[in-house]
Amino acid sequence: MNPNHFDYLVIGGGSAGYAAARTAREVVDRVAIVDGSEHLGGLCILKGCMPSKTLIYSAEVLHHAKQGSLLGLNIPEANVDMKLLHQRKVDTIKEFADYRVEGLESDRFTLFRNRAEFTRPTSIRLDDGRELTADKIMISTGSIVQVPPIPGLADLEGVWTSDDVLDLDFLPESVIVLGGGIVASELTQFLNRVGSKVTQIQRNEHILREVSPEASTVIENVFRNEGVELHTGTKILSISRTDECFEVTFEKDEKFIIKTAKHLFNALGRIPNTQSLNLEAAGIQLQETGHIKTGPFNQTDNPNVYAAGDVAGPVEIVHVAIVQGEAAAKHASGRKVREPSDWDFLGVIFTDPQIALAGKNEATLKAEGVDFVSADYPWDDHGKSILMEAKHGYVRVFADRTGKILGGEIVGKDAGELIHAFSVAISLNASVVDLLNAPWYHPTLSEMITYPLEEIAEELGLEF
Ligand SMILES: Cc1cc2nc3c(=O)[nH]c(=O)nc-3n(C[C@H](O)[C@H](O)[C@H](O)COP(=O)(O)OP(=O)(O)OC[C@H]3O[C@@H](n4cnc5c(N)ncnc54)[C@H](O)[C@@H]3O)c2cc1C
């Protein structure tokens, strides 16, 4: 048997790659994982979802402690201890990473700690010169930080990425955040809540342009109330650096504005990590977005190679990376695969209040010409949210004229938890009446979902 030939080979052992390897190993024996990172575990565990949510949760608790008097509490002083916060993040993440490393290093797989590039359609070369071949290959090399061509940005030393922000063990005095996407906004609020002076600069009229203007407006108001200096509708012109600080010049409403801060955080997005893979040798094409071109089960143009996760897109969401990896590995071995999902089906933004979406939103329904009804309910008019002082946000429901639920949008405290009521309902083709016939406990935040459901049922003349 050729020791350098495998039934299935994965390049990149993050969320998508590990899911693919695990799934392939259910039916074939010789599965290889090639990962060239210094630390195994992938983006989500090491420098993405998990460290960010660990820090964001601490910052939320600190925020509540500082607002203690609102809840009748006397908390004389509440402050972050950045060294402790950092150590807690390190310890927490280590636990998750250790578990993943144990899986990757188990004798179920052959693990190569190398970088790889294609040499032929089903052959790769490792960075130590070894050549490996496989019947089927999965590309799951993730994404890297994008550096747009803003004068100064690429050349300056010391510009932070999210990796740096998630690894801070000191409190930055001041930070300029470039960008208004999900990572930019989640970490803007984190930095601001732990005590940095934060200026966020966004090109679009709203931050979080993937959500409705109503949703982003709620977050913008909260950010400004909490002390973030937020500039939207801007054009960044140049960035420079002195010994003391970074200086960002931008245009807004035909005026030139200069902002300075000790630190600069480039949060202008990520791009698919394909540059060093020599994809031409394998006959694999890219899309205009830079993602690898894939079919419904994540097949590339090469019939024996698949791509999943951030490198394939269309979204950078970890549960999508996992589902794609699993489905692709099943397809590669001719197993039955569930119809691919709508990858945009579920989204959560971990600002506070959170934004969470399931199914279709208003913009999509309008673009698709769907005849729909919608209703919403504000968080400042419900018992549980009032007693929790969680008054920012709303619940919105979209349904068709028969009452079938098409989408749910929740902006509010822990919306990312509450949205799963809609995720389940829409997945099961439930109607507003089906949901209204379910029991809802009082007093809960979930109960708020029933108010727009009732409004829609009444509008459509449906009995419940
Ligand atoms: C700050 C931040 C917060 C986030 N928060 C969330 C969140 O809350 N929820 C959510 O759903 N998503 C979140 N994401 C996105 C999520 O982390 C990613 O969508 C997901 O981790 C992508 O997984 P992947 O398997 O595609 O890639 P990765 O996990 O990045 O794995 C790619 C692997 O490939 C390896 N590799 C790369 N090139 C090569 C090569 N040539 N040879 C060998 N190995 C190679 C890398 O070393 C890496 O281990 C966040 C991202 C960031 C940056």
Side-chain angles (χ1 to χ4, degrees), residues 123-165:
S123 299
I124 60 163
R125 185 189 299 121
L126 304 183
D127 55 12
D128 59 8
R130 280 180 290 176
E131 293 261 351
L132 306 179
T133 55
D135 294 342
K136 302 284 177 189
I137 296 181
M138 160 61 77
I139 306 171
S140 42
T141 48
S143 55
I144 52 173
V145 168
Q146 165 174 232
V147 184
I150 297 170
L153 185 60
D155 323 317
L156 292 175
E157 272 185 29
V159 177
W160 285 349
T161 67
S162 54
D163 292 1
D164 302 294
V165 174

Side-chain angles (χ1 to χ4, degrees), residues 150-305:
I150 297 170
L153 185 60
D155 323 317
L156 292 175
E157 272 185 29
V159 177
W160 285 349
T161 67
S162 54
D163 292 1
D164 302 294
V165 174
L166 296 178
D167 211 29
L168 286 173
D169 62 358
F170 70 96
L171 182 62
E173 187 185 306
S174 56
V175 184
I176 294 176
V177 181
L178 302 181
I182 297 174
V183 170
S185 300
E186 289 181 358
L187 294 182
T188 284
Q189 193 176 34
F190 161 71
L191 288 166
N192 186 65
R193 283 185 165 184
V194 292
S196 296
K197 179 179 173 349
V198 184
T199 306
Q200 186 180 13
I201 304 174
Q202 156 75 332
R203 187 175 54 179
N204 281 63
E205 287 304 324
H206 287 287
I207 57 168
L208 303 168
R209 68 192 165 101
E210 45 282 273
V211 302
S212 65
E214 293 88 334
S216 44
T217 302
V218 172
I219 305 304
E220 286 162 2
N221 290 339
V222 168
F223 276 20
R224 289 188 169 116
N225 284 341
E226 289 184 10
V228 173
E229 185 180 328
L230 174 61
H231 298 271
T232 56
T234 69
K235 182 170 182 223
I236 299 173
L237 299 174
S238 66
I239 298 169
S240 58
R241 186 185 175 163
T242 64
D243 286 348
E244 285 296 298
C245 62
F246 287 90
E247 192 173 276
V248 178
T249 307
F250 59 94
E251 199 182 327
K252 182 179 162 69
D253 301 332
E254 296 177 3
K255 289 194 197 98
F256 293 103
I257 301 174
I258 297 174
K259 289 286 156 191
T260 56
K262 287 250 178 204
H263 303 279
L264 182 70
F265 170 20
N266 168 14
L268 292 164
R270 301 178 69 88
I271 51 172
N273 184 10
T274 57
Q275 294 73 12
S276 60
L277 288 170
N278 193 23
L279 292 176
E280 307 77 49
I284 294 167
Q285 312 287 323
L286 299 181
Q287 307 169 41
E288 269 177 24
T289 56
H291 292 108
I292 293 177
K293 202 171 133 211
T294 51
F297 299 102
N298 287 77
Q299 322 91 306
T300 67
D301 289 330
N302 175 334
N304 295 310
V305 180

Side-chain angles (χ1 to χ4, degrees), residues 342 344-347 356-375 396-409 419 421-435 452-453 456 460 462:
D342 165 8
D344 267 337
F345 180 83
L346 187 64
L357 312 162
K360 302 203 168 171
N361 62 18
E362 186 164 347
T364 313
L365 291 168
K366 282 186 175 159
E368 291 178 358
V370 178
D371 186 15
F372 68 94
V373 288
S374 73
R396 181 170 291 165
V397 184
F398 302 100
D400 71 13
R401 295 243 157 228
T402 69
K404 186 177 140 187
I405 300 169
L406 302 174
E409 177 172 324
I419 197 66
F422 285 117
S423 177
V424 173
I426 299 167
S427 299
L428 296 177
N429 285 319
S431 69
V432 291
V433 172
D434 293 327
L435 277 198
L453 292 172
I456 290 177
L460 297 176
L462 302 169

